[in-house]
Amino acid sequence: MTPIGHRRLILTRHAKSSWDDPLIEDQDRPLNARGRFAATELGDFLASRGLEPEEVLCSSALRTRETWERVAGAVIETRPELHFSERLYNAGPETLLEVLKTAHAPSVMMLGHNPGIAEFARQLLAREVLDPDFRRFPTCATLIVDFQIEDWRDLELGQGAMLDFFTPTR
């Protein structure tokens, strides 16, 4: 649970997708075996730390939806309000910020794509993160960031305090 006067964002790049079928449209690419494992691992990580979102903003692409399904399988305490958005598909930081400002719950998970997610993560934080994994934001990488704001509409870039950063083990 997020304290009153705080907002928490769980910002996730989708897990590893399959490139097995070159004829599949980009939005329709599913997760591969490594991606399914990583997304389940992320769900276990979040659940073990009590980091369960109350609202989810997810790109409409298949790989982001499948990432959420795997995470949700481990996050069993809550059933968050779920929003799929075409605006989040390959969105840049400006669009990600606009969509996040529409959120209502204190704890929100946003699932999207690089390069937008990585750049948005950097722009959100008050302090630079020197971790090389953070800089490249690999598939299924997840930033947990807290803000001292009452409402998502009050969010400005450079206000966030990093609580944690997850990358899958393989």
Side-chain angles (χ1 to χ4, degrees), residues 34-109:
R34 185 174 130 203
R36 289 188 298 273
F37 178 85
T40 301
E41 185 182 17
L42 171 59
D44 291 342
F45 170 86
L46 295 174
S48 72
R49 287 159 177 76
L51 298 171
E52 298 181 358
E54 298 162 284
E55 185 174 358
V56 175
L57 307 171
C58 184
S59 162
S60 58
L62 180 59
R63 60 192 177 273
T64 51
R65 289 181 289 142
E66 287 185 347
T67 299
W68 166 247
E69 289 170 11
R70 292 282 176 159
V71 169
V75 181
I76 57 173
E77 294 299 315
T78 63
R79 288 292 170 228
E81 188 176 332
L82 183 56
H83 306 279
F84 295 109
S85 172
E86 288 192 25
R87 289 189 71 203
L88 294 177
Y89 175 69
N90 284 334
E94 300 81 17
T95 301
L96 294 167
L97 180 62
E98 288 173 12
V99 172
L100 182 55
K101 285 186 172 195
T102 68
H104 303 289
S107 178
V108 174
M109 182 174 200

Side-chain angles (χ1 to χ4, degrees), residues 2 6-10 51 106-108 144-146 152 163:
T2 308
H6 286 75
R7 293 291 179 262
R8 175 166 293 153
L9 175 63
I10 302 166
L51 298 171
S107 178
V108 174
I144 297 93
V145 57
D146 284 348
W152 286 111
L163 179 64

